[in-house]
């Protein structure tokens, strides 16, 4: 931006392309890291070692999690090369260049990065989402849409991992996974969940520790490999986790707990092979040799794999998984194939998304109202699906660049921001006794029409075919409703009484004399209003 070269994330396993053909001392003026997942952070240590003067920044929580990317190195030997930046507080890096981090959901410490470059004439804003998630999950609050609404950046660089796919509600995803695990245990199967070191594994642990299907049940959950190291790293992050999690951890340990059921423990290496003697749950690294856990003479196993957005096609998941395994563990893969055939081993997938689905992605874009949208991160077919959406094409300049291409981003001095399209909001229903509560996202209240809708706090609901239509009742309507429309003209009530004027009773012989009355009020000395009396005749 301006004269500054900024590197956003560095997930390269081999950073040599960054150093190749360099005509300047450094490959960038500064580096910003959105979050600690390997595909965004893996290359940072090598980058620091190659260019020690290159400043690298991230959120404080991210700086705690970064070492998980280099587990083969003694943590004490990893230098603290990454400087922590505060959340929601602008920092000036250089003349005219400033940055502000916003929590992005997805993973503790994950941030969306807003960069502003200001000249004498005007300022330019770029927002980079990193990986983001709008929904709250167990250990991370979702990206707060209201903090970024109406930002109108010139450029938005946004991830589109799930393309235009639509996901069930978060709670539904959790319930489905909990139900599947519970069913396996009931059938005397052990459950093996291979996951990345950070994020998904801890989410699942927290789900198992707080879901009604599991709380209090006599179940053993074993955690192995870098997932266990990841859990330890989370324990250092407590002040950065949601308040609900901090409260939880005041009453019981967040992860390691031998007393409160279900028990969660580190798996000692010597128990790996015999752990399935009685049905249990094992959470381990997705890169581990899973045959180490599966003694299929002891127990039958269910392997649950996270659904990957890039895996599609008609090949059964278990088959493609065995194919993938074959590269690294050929013997194990052969055995798995046989075990799947005999039914001792079952392989299935589940969805517990850590990224927004298509509607969530477009919702963020419409709330930001950028000039340019640049899609990154994920399968090119998925990104192309998003890029092709009419609702985006009609409003913004949409780009979906291949790696290594330079993107031209012409910026208009006056860009007319088109109105966002109508959004369908997703809510939740709760039925409690005789009351039904409908919970809607707070984004709905950002619309100027909300003021009028919620004016009185009362709504009218009516069926229209299969659909329920809600309408806000206005003050005027309420008054009019009470006095005329809803009351039959021949009803003996204050609304139809000749002594009622300006909602007060003026009949000296009435016990209500001088008081404010409601239209449907009544007293024994009611007398029909003259006009209404005549109308009746
Ligand atoms: Zn990520
Ligand atoms: Zn990512």
């Amino acid at each position: 931006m301006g004269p500054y070269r900024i590197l956003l994330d560095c997930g390269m396993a081999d950073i040599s392309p960054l150093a190749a053909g360099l005509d300047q001392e450094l490959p960038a003026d500064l580096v910003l890291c959105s979050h600690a997942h390997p595909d965004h952070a893996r290359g940072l240590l090598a980058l620091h070692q190659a260019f020690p003067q290159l400043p690298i920044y991230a959120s404080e929580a991210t700086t705690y999690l970064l070492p998980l990317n280099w587990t083969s190195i003694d943590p004490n030997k990893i230098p603290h090369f990454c400087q922590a930046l505060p959340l929601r507080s602008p920092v000036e890096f250089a003349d005219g260049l400033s940055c502000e981090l916003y929590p992005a959901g997805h993973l503790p410490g994950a941030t969306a990065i807003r960069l502003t470059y200001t000249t004498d004439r005007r300022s330019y804003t770029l927002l980079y989402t990193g990986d983001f998630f709008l929904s709250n999950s167990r250990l991370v609050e979702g990206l707060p849409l209201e903090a970024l609404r109406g930002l109108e950046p010139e450029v938005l660089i946004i991830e589109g991992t799930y393309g235009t796919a639509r996901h069930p509600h978060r709670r539904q995803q959790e319930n489905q996974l909990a139900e599947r695990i519970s069913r396996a245990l009931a059938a005397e199967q052990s459950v093996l969940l291979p996951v990345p070191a950070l994020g998904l594994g801890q989410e699942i642990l927290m789900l198992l520790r707080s879901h009604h299907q599991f709380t209090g049940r006599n179940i053993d959950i074993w955690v192995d490999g870098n997932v266990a190291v990841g859990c330890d790293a989370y324990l250092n992050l407590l002040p950065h986790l949601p308040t609900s999690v901090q409260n939880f951890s005041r009453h019981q340990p967040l992860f390691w707990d031998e007393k409160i059921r279900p028990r969660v423990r580190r798996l000692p290496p010597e128990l790996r092979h015999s752990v399935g003697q009685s049905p249990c749950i094992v959470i381990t690294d997705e890169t581990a040799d899973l045959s180490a856990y599966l003694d299929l003479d002891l127990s039958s196993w269910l392997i649950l794999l996270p659904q990957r957005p890039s895996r599609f096609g008609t090949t059964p998941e278990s088959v493609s998984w065995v194919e993938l395994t074959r590269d690294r563990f050929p013997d194990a893969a052969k055995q798995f194939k046989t075990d799947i055939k005999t039914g001792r081993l079952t392989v299935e997938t589940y969805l517990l998304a850590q990224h927004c689905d298509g509607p969530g992605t477009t919702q963020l874009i419409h709330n930001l109202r950028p000039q340019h949208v640049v899609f990154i991160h994920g399968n090119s077919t998925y990104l192309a699906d998003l890029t092709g959406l009419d609702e985006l094409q009609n409003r913004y300049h949409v780009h979906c660049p291949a790696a290594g291409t330079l993107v031209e981003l012409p910026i208009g001095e006056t860009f007319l921001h088109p109105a966002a399209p109508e959004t369908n909001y997703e809510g939740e229903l709760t039925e409690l006794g005789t009351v039904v509560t409908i919970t809607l996202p707070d984004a709905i209240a950002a619309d100027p029409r909300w003021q009028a809708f919620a004016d009185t706090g009362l709504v009218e609901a009516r069926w229209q075919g299969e659909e329920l239509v809600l309408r806000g009742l206005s003050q005027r309507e309420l008054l009019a409703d009470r006095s005329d429309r809803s009351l039959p003209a021949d009803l003996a009530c204050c609304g139809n009484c000749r002594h009622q004027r300006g909602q007060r009773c003026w009949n000296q012989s009435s016990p209500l004399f001088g008081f404010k009355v409601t239209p449907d009020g009544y007293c024994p000395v009611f007398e029909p209003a003259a006009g209404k009396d005549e109308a009746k005749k």
Side-chain angles (χ1 to χ4, degrees), residues 34-40 106-107 110 130-132 159 354-355 377:
S34 66
H35 67 293
H37 274 152
D39 58 325
H40 298 255
H106 180 69
L107 181 77
D131 289 353
F132 76 100
E159 66 132 336
Q354 315 288 304
H355 303 258
H377 200 277

Side-chain angles (χ1 to χ4, degrees), residues 264-280:
V264 180
R265 279 171 286 181
R266 270 174 236 275
L267 182 61
E270 64 274 15
L271 285 187
R272 262 179 210 146
H273 208 63
S274 56
V275 69
Q277 262 165 351
S278 58
C280 66

Side-chain angles (χ1 to χ4, degrees), residues 23-24 54-55 74 99 104 123 245 298 334 336-337 342 363 371 377 471 537:
D23 51 8
Q24 303 181 47
L54 178 59
D74 174 359
C99 156
S123 68
V245 178
L298 291 175
K334 216 187 228 165
F336 292 154
K337 227 172 173 172
T342 60
Q363 189 191 358
Q371 284 190 33
H377 200 277
R471 201 172 63 83
K537 286 171 200 162

Side-chain angles (χ1 to χ4, degrees), residues 16-24:
S16 55
L18 284 178
L22 210 58
D23 51 8
Q24 303 181 47

